[in-house]
Amino acid sequence: MPYEPRDPHHSPRHRSALRRGLAAAVIAGAICGTALAQSPASSIDDEQLADRPIARLVFKGLERVPEREVLNNIRVAAGQPFDPKSVRNDVATLYRLGQFGTIQASATVLPDGSVELTYTFAEQPIVKDLQVVGNKLISDQELRKSIPLYAGGPRDDFLLEQAVARIKDLYKKRGHYLAEVTVDESRLKDTGILILRIVEGPRVKVKEIDFTGNDSITAKELGGEIRTRTAVPLFAKGELDEEILVDDVAALDKYYKDRGFVDVRVDRRVEISADSKEAKAVFVVSEGRRYRLRSVVVEGVGAEGPKPLVVFSNDQINDLLYIHPGDIYSRLKLDKSIASVRDSYLLLGHVDVDVTDRTVRVGEQPEVDLLLSVREGPRTVAGLVNIQGNFLTKDKVVRRLVRMQPGRVLDGREIERSTERVRATQLFNDVRVTVQRPRAEDQDALDVEPAAGAASTPAPGAQATAATDPAADPAAQARLALVRSEVRDVLIEVKERNTGSVNFGVGLGTDSGVFGEFSVNQRNFDIADTPETLDELIAGRAFRGAGQQFSMSIAPGNEVSTLSFDLLEPHLFESDYALRGSPAYRIRLYPDYQETRATVPVTLSRKLGDFWTVGLTGGYQWVELGEFDPDAAIEVYEDRGPSSFLSGGFFVKRTDVDRQMRPSRGSNSEFSVTQFQSFEDIDPFTVLRAGYTQFFTVTEDLLGNRTTLKVNTDAAYIVGDDVPTYERLYLGGRNFRGFEFRTVSPKSRGAIDPTLPAPNDPIGGNWLFFAGAQLEHPLVKDAFSGVMFVDSGTVTEEVSLDQYRLSVGFGVRLYIPAFGPAPLAFDFAVPLLKEDTDETQVFSFSAEIPF
């Protein structure tokens, strides 16, 4: 057979070598695969892991926390592509649970190329107990209220830091500015007991306040702008508080900028004494230059940029400003100027007006230019006035306080004013007045009647000239004709409150003795809303909703016992007239006799604007005196009665205080004339009375706590010769501190029993004059304040200032909301001018305490 050459690759030896090589390769591959599957976990930021599918999630270290809670708080899941950012977000979310001390995330590549994601947890230790040590000033119970952690819960470092900060704040409020609070970490780790160790340190009081760098403004002026005070026994604690210091720096910065110091910088530092008991607060001021206003530029702004002004011209707006070129650049004047311009637009119905300011410095001189940008917006015509949320209160109660009439130009100022009027009724918890979006069908220009006063009332701070009154300027009238008008509804949202109450309490005072009180009050009464069922009456759904005020009080006491009713209809027959009836029955025990009086007074009044009230008064009263002691005044015995009177008169009042309770600005004044006609043999007599009270704010801090001064005068004169002693005028007690109740008065000429000496009993006079002043300074926010006062006056038979008395004193006022708006008042007074027959009273008080 012919010779055929042999292929070396097909030789038996070669085939055997090939088989051995393939086996080795398979074994090597298996080894490599096993090694890959058991390789250590990679960092989640490894680029090779990106977008690989996640095969499964593995949680390690979970003992107390269930796995389901972890799954509920992460977004990564099996089957999703691996994303390191999502893993990090999940770790951050799990940390916020407060259950874990550390969390580690790692990833492992599986043989099939997928990823196994592993979370390794170190759980926070459980707080088995909470303890505070080292505290003497503050009790354990009060400190525990400041610790947000609780026994049985996990340790949370964030809440632990909060607890430390809160406890330090408690000590700062008590003057321990250097108090330290530490956590016993070893005990917490070993035993699970959280121990907060407190080093209270000495109480730090501010003994001195200093100002440096204040070249233009005196330290006395600056001292009135800050809340930090030096320690004064009984009146000021002199507490050193870091938050108050920060507020003081802001107050000083504002004070300087209001006076043109645009570049002012203010800081503070605290210097602690060597014994750590006293501190000196130093306010460092760098005043900079005082700037003046060089010019004012007014521009209109529209949705797409600059836009010519339509409603007012540039000159008219300049006339509305309180700041002008050449004036010191004052932020206070600038804010008043912006308010003046804004109010002028609101008056004409531009409720969306926006006025912004921008200051531009000019050259090297301390001068600035003021740029005012005005976005006028369209004129608004009032559409429907809708009321929501008054389920029990009738619409008319709210509507009569909202002076917005459909179809007329909407005075934008009424939005805030109406809100305040409705809120002042105290019938609602929340009140919100908003102007809705314009109606789609009423976007064309409208020919509407101007709002009341819009054409004739000048803008605030301006005179009624062509420069400020569009009606007086033909060019302004032409511009106003181009103003687009929109019809917009007004929505009034209210949330009703519980306006009824049943009260039990006790009262006591140096003038009235001790008395108990049971009263029923309803500020949203409706005398016509009689209940249909007993359940309706018990549930409070009857006799409610008309805005009337009703009260009934029974107050038996050891000196004064009273039964009284009061019903007020503030809008009689939906008019501006108010009708009030207040029948009462009273028994008063004086030292030598008893007075019994029944009265049925009726008042018809009307408000004139926001400040003035006029009214007519009338009524019937019956008076009887009895149970006389032999040494009682003969003048009182001669008026024993019983006697009946009809009375009629009128009064005028003016009130412009900033708030009804605890006013700090404004005044009250009143004048009244009342004629009395007796059914018995008593000559008619007339009582003339006038009073005036003025309130001033002496200082006010950033939190609104105000030191106020009240100055008041009162004068009365009775025209008539045969005036009963129980209708005459008296002073003393709470209305003239330092003297016994009613003893500032002419005295009796003799006793009932002529054999007894003439008593020193007051019998009243025909002329009264009083003048006083009282300074009230808050000591503990709004809850506790101190007062200093001066009282003076006299009561005589004829108009005269003879026998004038004067007293001075101090006291405290304790305001407790649960006790009502009237404070607990305690006063000490010393007479400086008095008569020999006067009876002094150093301490006087009045308090009413509900149960």
Side-chain angles (χ1 to χ4, degrees):
M1 73 181 291
Y3 171 78
E4 293 181 3
R6 299 178 61 184
D7 186 351
H9 296 287
H10 291 276
S11 64
R13 181 180 295 179
H14 177 74
R15 286 196 297 268
S16 177
L18 182 61
R19 283 194 296 267
R20 289 194 300 268
L22 289 174
V26 171
I27 294 172
I31 294 174
C32 291
T34 302
L36 180 62
Q38 297 177 351
S39 63
S42 304
S43 168
I44 61 172
D45 293 318
D46 192 336
E47 296 180 357
Q48 296 183 1
L49 301 175
D51 296 328
R52 290 177 179 267
I54 299 175
R56 56 180 175 269
L57 302 178
V58 177
F59 303 116
K60 296 182 179 180
L62 293 180
E63 297 179 2
R64 175 175 46 81
V65 181
E67 185 176 307
R68 174 51 56 186
E69 183 175 353
V70 175
L71 289 172
N72 290 339
N73 286 278
I74 62 176
R75 303 183 66 179
V76 173
Q80 295 180 351
F82 182 84
D83 181 7
K85 182 178 179 181
S86 299
V87 175
R88 281 192 294 269
N89 291 338
D90 285 346
V91 170
T93 301
L94 293 172
Y95 267 120
R96 285 194 289 270
L97 295 178
Q99 300 279 4
F100 307 107
T102 60
I103 304 173
Q104 293 181 348
S106 59
T108 303
V109 178
L110 300 177
D112 58 359
S114 61
V115 176
E116 179 184 86
L117 182 59
T118 302
Y119 292 91
T120 303
F121 301 94
E123 293 179 335
Q124 288 278 28
I126 293 296
V127 178
K128 297 180 180 179
D129 192 16
L130 292 174
Q131 297 179 9
V132 288
V133 296
N135 55 307
K136 297 179 181 179
L137 179 67
I138 306 177
S139 66
D140 289 0
Q141 291 77 9
E142 187 174 356
L143 290 175
R144 283 177 178 270
K145 294 178 182 179
S146 301
I147 302 175
L149 295 168
Y150 58 92
R155 167 178 175 163
D156 189 322
D157 290 338
F158 174 76
L159 296 180
L160 193 55
E161 289 295 328
Q162 275 194 329
V164 171
R166 291 178 183 179
I167 292 174
K168 286 185 176 180
D169 287 340
L170 287 177
Y171 277 98
K172 285 181 180 180
K173 291 178 180 179
R174 287 166 171 78
H176 291 255
Y177 187 76
L178 302 177
E180 290 293 335
V181 183
T182 58
V183 179
D184 192 331
E185 294 285 355
S186 60
R187 291 290 297 275
L188 180 59
K189 183 178 180 181
D190 296 339
T191 66
I193 299 176
L194 174 59
I195 300 178
L196 295 175
R197 299 190 181 275
I198 300 174
V199 179
E200 294 180 331
R203 184 171 183 174
V204 181
K205 293 184 177 181
V206 179
K207 287 297 183 180
E208 185 179 355
I209 298 175
D210 192 17
F211 298 89
T212 64
N214 54 314
D215 300 327
S216 304
I217 301 178
T218 64
K220 184 177 181 180
E221 288 183 77
L222 297 178
E225 300 300 314
I226 61 176
R227 293 172 54 203
T228 300
R229 292 287 182 265
T230 55
V232 178
L234 298 180
F235 285 94
K237 295 185 295 184
E239 62 182 6
L240 185 62
D241 192 310
E242 187 67 24
E243 293 183 2
I244 294 179
L245 290 174
V246 172
D247 292 341
D248 289 343
V249 169
L252 294 176
D253 182 82
K254 181 180 183 300
Y255 189 77
Y256 267 98
K257 288 180 178 176
D258 285 344
R259 284 150 183 79
F261 294 91
V262 178
D263 300 326
V264 66
R265 291 183 297 171
V266 184
D267 203 350
R268 88 285 181 197
R269 69 173 184 268
V270 177
E271 299 176 359
I272 306 294
S273 63
D275 59 1
S276 299
K277 293 183 178 180
E278 297 179 355
K280 177 181 179 181
V282 181
F283 293 93
V284 183
V285 180
S286 175
E287 293 181 336
R289 298 184 297 176
R290 196 173 192 179
Y291 283 73
R292 291 185 177 273
L293 181 64
R294 192 185 73 165
S295 65
V296 180
V297 178
V298 182
E299 66 173 8
V301 178
E304 300 178 354
K307 177 183 178 182
L309 294 174
V310 177
V311 180
F312 293 108
S313 67
N314 289 17
D315 291 338
Q316 289 173 323
I317 290 180
N318 274 286
D319 288 339
L320 293 171
L321 303 181
Y322 286 86
I323 187 170
H324 301 93
D327 292 347
I328 296 295
Y329 183 74
S330 166
R331 186 70 225 182
L332 181 63
K333 285 187 177 181
L334 178 56
D335 291 340
K336 289 178 64 178
S337 299
I338 293 175
S340 174
V341 175
R342 183 175 179 272
D343 285 348
S344 300
Y345 274 96
L346 293 176
L347 176 65
L348 298 179
H350 295 262
V351 298
D352 295 326
V353 63
D354 183 33
V355 183
T356 58
D357 66 281
R358 185 161 60 91
T359 301
V360 180
R361 304 191 187 194
V362 183
E364 297 297 328
Q365 298 300 317
E367 295 179 331
V368 295
D369 288 343
L370 174 62
L371 175 62
L372 283 181
S373 300
V374 181
R375 186 186 298 270
E376 295 179 319
R379 182 171 53 180
T380 299
V381 177
L384 299 177
V385 179
N386 301 310
I387 304 172
Q388 292 182 359
N390 54 321
F391 301 107
L392 292 173
T393 307
K394 297 179 179 179
D395 276 8
K396 64 181 182 180
V397 176
V398 179
R399 199 175 298 278
R400 62 197 178 199
L401 299 173
V402 180
R403 300 170 186 174
M404 304 177 188
Q405 300 182 15
R408 302 191 68 181
V409 172
L410 178 61
D411 184 350
R413 301 172 302 172
E414 275 301 309
I415 299 173
E416 182 175 351
R417 292 176 180 178
S418 298
T419 302
E420 292 303 320
R421 289 193 204 100
V422 177
R423 186 178 289 121
T425 63
Q426 297 185 351
L427 302 181
F428 310 100
N429 283 324
D430 297 318
V431 180
R432 186 170 64 171
V433 180
T434 54
V435 180
Q436 304 301 293
R437 292 185 177 182
R439 298 180 182 178
E441 66 273 15
D442 293 317
Q443 295 307 301
D444 297 332
L446 299 174
D447 184 13
V448 296
E449 182 182 357
S456 59
T457 304
Q463 297 181 350
T465 64
T468 57
D469 185 2
D473 185 0
Q477 291 180 328
R479 290 196 305 271
L480 283 176
L482 300 176
V483 175
R484 182 169 61 89
S485 297
E486 297 176 341
V487 176
R488 300 172 68 176
D489 295 338
V490 179
L491 177 62
I492 305 169
E493 298 172 281
V494 297
K495 184 177 181 181
E496 292 181 321
R497 67 192 304 179
N498 182 17
T499 55
S501 62
V502 178
N503 305 310
F504 299 87
V506 62
L508 60 160
T510 48
D511 293 355
S512 57
V514 181
F515 60 90
E517 183 177 21
F518 166 76
S519 63
V520 178
N521 303 282
Q522 177 55 259
R523 297 192 307 276
N524 194 10
F525 190 69
D526 186 354
I527 195 171
D529 182 24
T530 56
E532 297 181 359
T533 64
L534 181 61
D535 291 340
E536 188 178 32
L537 177 63
I538 296 175
R541 295 192 299 271
F543 293 117
R544 285 188 64 184
Q548 301 165 359
Q549 297 178 23
F550 171 79
S551 66
M552 180 192 72
S553 174
I554 302 174
N558 67 330
E559 293 185 15
V560 183
S561 298
T562 307
L563 170 63
S564 63
F565 298 86
D566 183 70
L567 178 62
L568 169 65
E569 170 53 77
H571 294 273
L572 185 64
F573 305 124
E574 297 308 308
S575 68
D576 291 330
Y577 290 90
L579 180 65
R580 176 168 232 147
S582 306
Y585 181 79
R586 188 188 71 178
I587 299 175
R588 173 89 202 208
L589 299 179
Y590 292 105
D592 300 327
Y593 65 96
Q594 172 182 295
E595 175 187 295
T596 304
R597 183 188 295 257
T599 59
V600 186
V602 179
T603 303
L604 179 67
S605 61
R606 187 183 192 279
K607 286 188 68 83
L608 303 178
D610 292 330
F611 303 139
W612 291 91
T613 303
V614 297
L616 301 175
T617 59
Y620 167 82
Q621 69 174 345
W622 174 89
V623 183
E624 182 179 17
L625 308 181
E627 300 186 13
F628 292 95
D629 291 342
D631 59 347
I634 184 64
E635 294 86 352
V636 177
Y637 180 76
E638 291 172 350
D639 294 328
R640 60 189 178 277
S643 302
S644 301
F645 296 88
L646 285 178
S647 64
F650 72 92
F651 67 87
V652 179
K653 293 182 180 179
R654 186 184 187 279
T655 302
D656 64 350
V657 294
D658 55 347
R659 51 190 179 186
Q660 292 300 316
M661 303 307 302
R662 303 180 68 179
S664 59
R665 294 184 180 89
S667 63
N668 290 323
S669 56
E670 180 178 3
F671 174 75
S672 65
V673 178
T674 307
Q675 174 79 24
F676 289 85
Q677 178 67 52
S678 173
F679 287 97
E680 285 76 30
D681 189 19
I682 300 176
D683 293 338
F685 57 93
T686 304
V687 179
L688 308 176
R689 192 145 202 161
Y692 179 79
T693 304
Q694 180 72 49
F695 299 92
F696 303 91
T697 295
V698 180
T699 61
E700 180 177 1
D701 60 32
L702 295 177
L703 297 180
N705 299 318
R706 302 171 181 175
T707 299
T708 59
L709 174 65
K710 179 180 76 171
V711 179
N712 62 305
T713 59
D714 188 19
Y717 183 67
I718 302 178
V719 182
D721 297 326
D722 187 19
V723 184
T725 54
Y726 49 78
E727 294 296 338
R728 293 181 185 174
L729 305 171
Y730 301 84
L731 283 175
R734 292 299 300 165
N735 64 8
F736 197 152
R737 290 157 291 190
F739 297 90
E740 287 281 356
F741 176 60
R742 300 208 330 166
T743 58
V744 178
S745 158
K747 301 301 191 294
S748 171
R749 66 177 185 271
I752 297 176
D753 186 346
T755 63
L756 297 176
N760 192 37
D761 291 349
I763 59 172
N766 287 359
W767 161 253
L768 175 151
F769 178 79
F770 176 85
Q774 177 172 291
L775 181 70
E776 182 170 353
H777 176 72
L779 300 178
V780 181
K781 297 183 179 179
D782 286 334
F784 183 70
S785 60
V787 300
M788 294 186 295
F789 57 84
V790 176
D791 289 349
S792 69
T794 187
V795 177
T796 58
E797 292 289 352
E798 298 296 334
V799 178
S800 150
L801 294 181
D802 294 339
Q803 303 176 14
Y804 203 78
R805 282 86 164 175
L806 173 69
S807 67
V808 297
F810 66 92
V812 295
R813 299 291 182 269
L814 184 61
Y815 295 90
I816 302 176
F819 288 5
L824 307 183
F826 306 91
D827 292 320
F828 295 85
V830 177
L832 299 182
L833 295 177
K834 64 178 183 177
E835 297 295 314
D836 294 337
T837 58
D838 287 341
E839 299 177 26
T840 61
Q841 182 183 69
V842 175
F843 176 65
S844 65
F845 67 94
S846 64
E848 294 188 17
I849 304 174
F851 295 146

